[in-house]
Amino acid sequence: CPFYKHRVIHVGIDPGYKTPGVIWCQVDPKERLTVIRTWRPREVHASKLAEGIKLRNDEWFPKADFRYYGGHDVNTRKDTGEKTAREIFASYGMDVHTKYKHIDRGLTTIRNLMDMRDDGKPGLLVDPHNQTMIEGFMGGYYYEKEKDMPHKDGIYDPIFDALRYVVVGLFGPSGDVPSGSG
């Protein structure tokens, strides 16, 4: 999938200590969301996660503009006891945007983005190098009805949570891009 140099890179962050997940994506000129990269580090504190994100930003997308998205846990998660993940990310120049929406809103938006459009392509594309995300779409990531939430396995859920944060921040529930979001 191409990287559009003059379009914002949207970075979704699930800062979980044991199994964080990060995705990098863009909205293309046809208002499709393309997941370009994913990263699933293990057992890193928020400061090391921020350092890893910045390093990958510079390596993969030099001189790009970035916008960051996270869930409510960036405001409450404190792995040092002193600062929240949001405060730590901010110290690295990463202003993490959050929207408090129920999980269903994000999942509905993702499903709607996967619908085929008039040109025969879906509104959500995933670069083939992101095998874990593709496996998740093929059934690895699933909703547990009895728990009323997605299955938490530490493999698929961190990157899908990060995807949910981006789609809730960028798209309406129908999968349409509100003006000025791309």
Side-chain angles (χ1 to χ4, degrees):
C1 294
F3 154 50
Y4 298 94
K5 290 185 180 187
H6 301 292
R7 291 180 95 56
V8 173
I9 300 289
H10 300 280
V11 183
I13 305 168
D14 179 13
Y17 170 67
K18 289 201 181 260
T19 56
V22 184
I23 68 162
W24 287 262
C25 47
Q26 281 186 306
V27 177
D28 73 12
K30 294 186 178 186
E31 296 187 342
R32 285 187 180 84
L33 182 68
T34 302
V35 178
I36 304 168
R37 296 279 192 149
T38 61
W39 179 43
R40 294 179 314 124
R42 294 285 181 209
E43 298 186 17
V44 296
H45 290 283
S47 59
K48 291 294 182 187
L49 184 62
E51 288 172 12
I53 292 168
K54 295 294 272 190
L55 178 72
R56 284 159 180 80
N57 287 353
D58 293 342
E59 180 182 332
W60 294 338
F61 311 104
K63 299 181 182 175
D65 290 323
F66 298 92
R67 183 159 183 174
Y68 302 93
Y69 303 85
H72 66 86
D73 56 343
V74 299
N75 293 317
T76 58
R77 178 90 175 112
K78 296 181 181 180
D79 54 30
T80 63
E82 299 169 10
K83 295 181 179 181
T84 65
R86 175 189 293 282
E87 293 167 329
I88 293 168
F89 292 136
S91 72
Y92 285 86
M94 301 163 57
D95 180 23
V96 180
H97 299 273
T98 58
K99 280 192 177 181
Y100 296 100
K101 300 290 181 187
H102 192 271
I103 291 170
D104 287 344
R105 159 72 191 282
L107 296 176
T108 297
T109 305
I110 291 168
R111 278 192 291 275
N112 289 334
L113 284 168
M114 291 172 58
D115 286 345
M116 290 297 172
R117 295 188 174 179
D118 292 340
D119 65 1
K121 291 185 178 179
L124 174 64
L125 303 171
V126 178
D127 186 282
H129 291 97
N130 299 305
Q131 283 300 305
T132 301
M133 181 161 271
I134 292 168
E135 290 169 11
F137 276 116
M138 301 295 289
Y141 181 74
Y142 60 91
Y143 197 81
E144 292 186 275
K145 289 181 182 178
E146 63 278 357
K147 292 183 179 179
D148 195 30
M149 65 184 296
H151 177 67
K152 298 290 187 180
D153 61 4
I155 299 170
Y156 304 107
D157 62 285
I159 57 175
F160 277 86
D161 286 351
L163 176 61
R164 272 191 307 104
Y165 304 148
V166 171
V167 301
V168 166
L170 281 176
F171 295 90
S174 66
D176 295 331
V177 179
S179 62
S181 295

